[in-house]
Amino acid sequence: MSNLDQIAKLSGFSKATISRVLNDYPHVSQTTRDKIMKIMKELDYVPNGNAISLSKGQTMQIGMCTEGINEVMLPFLNSFVETASQYGYQTIIYTSGGDAKKELQAFEDLRRKRVDALVISTCVNDQALLASYCKYGPIVAWQRMQVPEIASVAMDQYDGYTLGLEHVIGQGYTRIANAFGRPNSMNTLGRMEAYRDIMKKFDLPVNRNWSPTGITTIRQGEQLVRDLLMNRGDRPDAILCSNDLVAAGILSEARKQQLKVPDDLAIVGFDNTELAHSLGITSIDNPIAAQAQNALHLLLEKLNVTERAGEQKELQYSLVKRATT
């Protein structure tokens, strides 16, 4: 007698009803579900994962592709994994370390049906190449994408950066520097555009030496302060950062250089992480966890899990003022 036959005999329900409980289908009463689950527990019955995957036509696994795991992406990762688990999906993390060939392993797993879908946190391969894998399953990105085949839940950072710029200008700062992130990122390009537009709007000077790219870490933030102080007669009085890590590095080095923050130098971070809260850094609140939830719900729609998928949330940036401005 098979396990399902035994459960059916003890519970009094058909194998079809037991299968619906195993697959977490709707339209099964809670009383029925509880009785069947109780018998399964007594029998120490463990469903065959491969069999369930075959019956559903899904692996119930979603891949997440990223260059690496850092403090900035952790809120996205944690929120996505937690939300996916609520819908019965496991998340497999693929880290490329910037290696394009290694990154493609995730997309090959989608092609081979080892995962049902992919979410991109950051990618290094040509986006057109990655888009060619959409025929094997849904792909959604947190990173802003230039190819229409891959939907993105990213917010336009032009809007968030504008909030920071208008804030420091409103506080009376006029010599504004930037610690931009990856030079080819659409997020960085959006921030650069916001900087040009706002400086032009308020007729403020732009010093190209004050806006380096590729500044993403605490140590790079510290070094940037030292570089800016090399010409003490011509230095900024405010700086907007690619993230809160850079802002923390700038704050630390500014204090070592005996600069008064915010009197001598105002600092604005980005993402509004716990680090910004702990150090009292003014930051742009970026609703990262909610963007991860949007990504999961969008994938569920594409996987036709519409009966339980949540709706997309309308999100916006906000500025959190603290001691650095």
Side-chain angles (χ1 to χ4, degrees):
M1 181 182 294
S2 70
N3 286 326
L4 285 184
D5 287 331
Q6 190 174 7
I7 295 169
K9 181 178 180 181
L10 292 173
S11 68
F13 295 106
S14 68
K15 288 195 288 184
T17 299
I18 295 166
S19 178
R20 284 195 289 272
V21 171
L22 284 172
N23 291 291
D24 198 24
Y25 286 167
H27 314 305
V28 178
S29 73
Q30 192 60 48
T31 300
T32 299
R33 192 180 301 275
D34 290 343
K35 184 174 181 180
I36 291 173
M37 294 300 292
K38 182 174 183 290
I39 292 172
M40 288 181 183
K41 185 176 181 180
E42 290 172 352
L43 295 175
D44 195 24
Y45 173 71
V46 179
N48 185 308
N50 290 332
I52 292 175
S53 295
L54 287 172
S55 68
K56 288 188 174 184
Q58 293 185 16
T59 67
M60 302 305 294
Q61 298 184 134
I62 296 174
M64 178 181 289
C65 185
T66 181
E67 288 184 63
I69 298 173
N70 55 39
E71 293 87 343
V72 175
M73 80 155 292
L74 271 177
F76 186 90
L77 187 155
N78 290 335
S79 178
F80 188 90
V81 169
E82 181 179 348
T83 308
S85 69
Q86 294 171 8
Y87 291 90
Y89 286 86
Q90 291 183 319
T91 305
I92 299 176
I93 312 299
Y94 296 87
T95 55
S96 69
D99 185 328
K101 289 185 179 179
K102 189 174 181 182
E103 179 179 86
L104 282 180
Q105 292 176 5
F107 295 84
E108 282 297 306
D109 277 359
L110 179 67
R111 184 172 71 88
R112 294 167 181 165
K113 308 302 181 185
R114 291 174 178 167
V115 294
D116 299 321
L118 286 177
V119 59
I120 298 171
S121 170
T122 54
C123 62
V124 294
N125 273 283
D126 180 77
Q127 293 185 8
L129 172 61
L130 301 184
S132 69
Y133 284 83
C134 287
K135 59 180 174 285
Y136 303 117
I139 304 173
V140 169
W142 180 33
Q143 177 178 333
R144 291 178 67 192
M145 306 299 285
Q146 296 173 309
V147 290
E149 295 90 342
I150 300 178
S152 174
V153 296
M155 297 168 64
D156 190 346
Q157 295 198 2
Y158 179 101
D159 300 328
Y161 213 66
T162 296
L163 286 179
L165 290 164
E166 291 182 337
H167 171 66
V168 294
I169 292 170
Q171 297 288 101
Y173 300 97
T174 59
R175 302 189 308 278
I176 301 171
N178 306 276
F180 289 126
R182 295 184 300 161
N184 297 322
S185 163
M186 290 184 70
N187 286 333
T188 299
L189 297 176
R191 295 185 189 201
M192 288 177 171
E193 183 181 0
Y195 177 66
R196 289 192 298 268
D197 290 349
I198 295 301
M199 297 301 276
K200 181 178 180 180
K201 175 182 176 181
F202 289 94
D203 195 26
L204 294 176
V206 173
N207 187 326
R208 297 184 183 278
N209 295 326
W210 291 350
S211 299
T213 59
I215 311 298
T216 60
T217 68
I218 289 178
R219 290 190 177 183
Q220 288 172 328
E222 293 173 338
Q223 183 60 49
L224 179 57
V225 174
R226 293 192 288 269
D227 293 342
L228 292 173
L229 289 180
M230 290 178 65
N231 187 352
R232 292 183 176 270
D234 183 25
R235 67 187 186 198
D237 57 8
I239 185 164
L240 275 70
C241 304
S242 59
N243 57 47
D244 290 334
L245 294 173
V246 174
I250 289 173
L251 177 61
S252 173
E253 186 63 25
R255 287 173 172 168
K256 291 177 184 176
Q257 299 291 340
Q258 297 184 337
L259 293 176
K260 294 180 181 179
V261 178
D263 295 343
D264 297 329
L265 182 66
I267 304 168
V268 178
F270 204 99
D271 292 327
N272 192 34
T273 60
E274 288 297 316
L275 183 63
H277 174 77
S278 298
L279 297 179
I281 298 171
T282 294
S283 187
I284 306 301
D285 184 69
N286 184 8
I288 293 174
Q291 290 171 67
Q293 293 167 7
N294 277 352
L296 188 277
H297 292 147
L298 184 54
L299 284 177
L300 291 180
E301 290 175 14
K302 291 177 178 293
L303 289 168
N304 296 317
V305 191
T306 53
E307 72 276 6
R308 293 182 297 168
E311 296 182 356
Q312 299 284 300
K313 296 178 181 177
E314 291 290 336
L315 305 175
Q316 61 183 9
Y317 295 103
S318 61
L319 183 134
V320 181
K321 185 182 184 306
R322 297 192 179 94
T324 59
T325 60

